[in-house]
Amino acid sequence: MMPKITVFNQDGNEQSLSARAGDPLMETLRDEGLVEGTCGGAASCGTCHIYLRDNWSEKCGERTEDEGYMLEGLEEHVEVKDVSRLACQIIVNDEMDGISLDIAPQI
Ligand code: FES
């Protein structure tokens, strides 16, 4: 199954994508040119910062420890919200069909 995701970019434009279950969410966003993913998914660049919409935080699990540190670091530059995540730390699964998110401002 290819869970459908809805992404709002910085300009508020909406895009529907199919994500690959089992892969980090960042890879789908990167392949579409929506995030850079400079560190390749190591939770160390912060370029894959997203804001989950609706109640998707619950379904995407807890932040990883490294992710928490990276988001703390980002706080100096951009708004970090309760719904902030690093997309590289979210492994897509079928439950995530219908997810919607905003691309956070880049640092
Ligand atoms: S890709 Fe670098 S923090 Fe997610």
Side-chain angles (χ1 to χ4, degrees), residues 5-100:
I5 63 174
T6 303
V7 182
F8 297 86
N9 70 13
Q10 282 288 285
D11 301 325
N13 290 326
E14 184 179 338
Q15 201 169 330
S16 290
L17 304 171
S18 297
R20 289 181 303 273
D23 285 353
L25 178 58
M26 176 277 282
E27 293 186 4
T28 296
L29 301 177
R30 184 191 57 197
D31 292 352
E32 291 294 325
L34 291 160
V35 302
E36 287 188 25
T38 316
C39 73
S44 60
C45 70
T47 60
C48 67
H49 180 196
I50 58 169
Y51 303 131
L52 292 169
R53 288 200 174 197
D54 307 320
N55 60 349
W56 284 104
S57 289
E58 289 167 28
K59 299 199 180 170
C60 289
E62 299 282 314
R63 291 175 183 167
T64 64
E65 197 178 347
D66 288 346
E67 179 180 9
Y69 290 131
M70 186 69 236
L71 287 170
E72 249 170 55
L74 284 179
E75 236 160 8
E76 279 176 36
H77 311 282
V78 295
E79 187 182 3
V80 174
K81 308 181 185 185
D82 287 347
V83 294
S84 285
R85 292 296 308 264
L86 295 179
C88 65
Q89 301 301 300
I90 298 174
I91 304 299
V92 175
N93 65 43
D94 292 347
E95 304 266 290
M96 293 177 195
D97 188 47
I99 198 172
S100 59

